[in-house]
Amino acid sequence: MFNSLEMVWNRVPTCIKCGKEPITFVRYNGSHLCEEHFLEFVVKRVRKEMRKQVDLDGKERLAVTLSGGKDSSVALSILAETLERRRGLTLLAITVDEGIACYRPGTMEKAAELCRDLGVEHHVIRIADEASRTMDEIASKAGVKSACTYCGVLRRRCMNKLARDLGADVLATGLNLDDTAQSILMNFTRGDVEKLARLGPHTRVQAGLIPRIQPLRLIPEKESLMYAVLRELPFSSAECPYAEGALRNEYREILDGLEDRHPGTRHAILNSYDAMRPHLLEAYPPAELKACECGDPTSGGLCKSCELLEEVKKIG
């Protein structure tokens, strides 16, 4: 009896799918997975989210925001593999060059390399062309606001503009589970319920705005990194020099601690949000939009990007 218990206690873990040696243990569902079945585990969830988030029938052009980092590279790779035999649908990659001298050139090289490997059209838009300033220049005059405040708004403007100019029907981002759970928690703690209702994936199409989807919405950041490494995807692990002061970092630390002590916390936050989302969408219908002087849609006088650029001009 004791020998039997000792054998069970000392048993080497095996992949729950095939019995091979595992490369990872998924704490939030208690499963060991070998390389083959880990990769399959990621791809299945991405494809499930795609089917859930968007109906591609009648769609002709799907754009993917590609930063050159691990998450967007994983998203583009899986979508390219998934959609390669779908007739009538063109996959495009969009990269925003923020103008951060010590960071962006290297990531753009990786983005271009991946697009060449996958045979995907690659298009670049520069914040300097839209705002007459690079992010390095804006950051030097940002004042009390963090550089991330300006960058986030201007990046979204550039992504939407280029996707619209390219005739894209849908815009896919590389936001992963960690990003999504952090955004939900941030808006809860700030009491910004209306912004919660506007979080992607977007099911409503508004004039001038390309609806965004999030294929990696169920994929934790560590799994995205592992997938990119195992598939030997070209990607940059460099971090933006301005990210250190971002408010999001505080929420990342909180969620990382909770997830470490209570595996599945991030999924629970996302599941709770999804249960409430239909009621949020009903309570906060889309605002009526009009054209800003720059041409972008806005609910007020100036769009947010124009407001921030006006602030930068006043600073000098």
Side-chain angles (χ1 to χ4, degrees), residues 11 57 96-97 113 125 148 151 157 179 198 220 226 230 240 271 284 286 301:
R11 182 182 175 187
D57 288 343
V96 178
D97 178 2
E113 181 182 349
I125 184 169
C148 294
C151 189
R157 170 177 173 167
D179 300 322
R198 298 201 303 268
M226 185 177 293
L230 291 174
C240 176
N271 291 338
Y284 296 96

Side-chain angles (χ1 to χ4, degrees), residues 23 29 64 73 168 209 257 274-275:
I23 62 165
N29 69 7
V64 181
S73 298
L209 296 175
D274 283 346

Side-chain angles (χ1 to χ4, degrees), residues 16 22 24 55 61 63 67 80 138 154 173 193-194 197 208-209 222 228 247 251 272 275 295:
I16 62 167
T24 187
D55 181 1
R61 297 170 79 79
S67 68
I138 292 173
L154 294 173
T173 70
V193 183
E194 184 172 359
L209 296 175
K222 289 182 179 179
L247 176 63
Y251 291 89
S272 297

Side-chain angles (χ1 to χ4, degrees), residues 257-283:
L258 287 171
E259 185 70 28
D260 184 58
R261 295 187 296 275
H262 311 286
T265 295
R266 291 170 302 204
H267 287 89
I269 290 173
L270 180 57
N271 291 338
S272 297
Y273 170 71
D274 283 346
M276 293 184 292
R277 195 161 188 252
H279 305 289
L280 291 171
L281 293 174
E282 183 178 350

Side-chain angles (χ1 to χ4, degrees), residues 32-230:
H32 292 87
L33 294 170
C34 67
E35 178 175 337
E36 176 188 354
H37 288 109
F38 168 75
L39 295 174
E40 181 183 89
F41 180 54
V42 173
V43 171
K44 279 186 174 180
R45 283 175 295 160
V46 172
R47 290 176 176 173
K48 179 181 178 180
E49 275 300 301
M50 281 295 294
R51 291 192 296 269
K52 178 181 175 182
Q53 293 180 24
V54 63
D55 181 1
L56 291 177
D57 288 343
K59 304 290 192 300
E60 297 181 357
R61 297 170 79 79
L62 171 60
V64 181
T65 59
L66 181 64
S67 68
K70 64 185 184 310
D71 298 312
S72 60
S73 298
V74 169
L76 180 62
S77 174
I78 294 177
L79 290 181
E81 181 181 323
T82 301
L83 303 173
E84 64 179 344
R85 296 182 182 178
R86 191 179 183 97
R87 295 182 179 179
L89 182 68
T90 299
L91 192 63
L92 314 165
I94 291 175
T95 298
V96 178
D97 178 2
E98 299 93 344
I100 303 174
C102 64
Y103 165 69
R104 183 48 72 193
T107 62
M108 289 181 64
E109 288 180 10
K110 295 298 183 181
E113 181 182 349
L114 179 61
C115 287
R116 288 194 297 270
D117 291 346
L118 297 175
V120 172
E121 294 180 30
H122 187 210
H123 302 266
V124 177
I125 184 169
R126 295 172 175 81
I127 281 182
D129 293 337
E130 300 301 312
S132 301
R133 289 171 173 81
T134 65
M135 268 310 304
D136 281 338
E137 293 169 333
I138 292 173
S140 69
K141 303 174 181 179
V144 295
K145 288 188 172 71
S146 74
C148 294
T149 299
Y150 294 90
C151 189
V153 172
L154 294 173
R155 285 186 76 256
R156 286 191 290 273
R157 170 177 173 167
C158 288
M159 289 189 300
N160 188 73
K161 181 181 186 299
L162 184 52
R164 188 176 61 218
D165 291 347
L166 292 171
D169 300 292
V170 182
L171 180 61
T173 70
L175 293 175
N176 57 44
L177 174 64
D178 297 56
D179 300 322
T180 306
Q182 290 160 18
S183 295
I184 294 168
L185 186 60
M186 287 172 67
N187 286 299
F188 263 121
T189 56
R190 291 188 300 196
D192 198 342
V193 183
E194 184 172 359
K195 192 170 183 180
L196 272 174
R198 298 201 303 268
L199 292 178
H202 298 142
T203 55
R204 296 164 171 169
V205 179
Q206 293 180 275
L209 296 175
I210 307 301
R212 296 194 298 272
I213 60 173
Q214 301 167 2
L216 303 190
R217 195 167 180 257
L218 293 180
I219 311 300
E221 183 175 9
K222 289 182 179 179
E223 291 181 14
S224 178
L225 174 60
M226 185 177 293
Y227 185 93
V229 171
L230 291 174

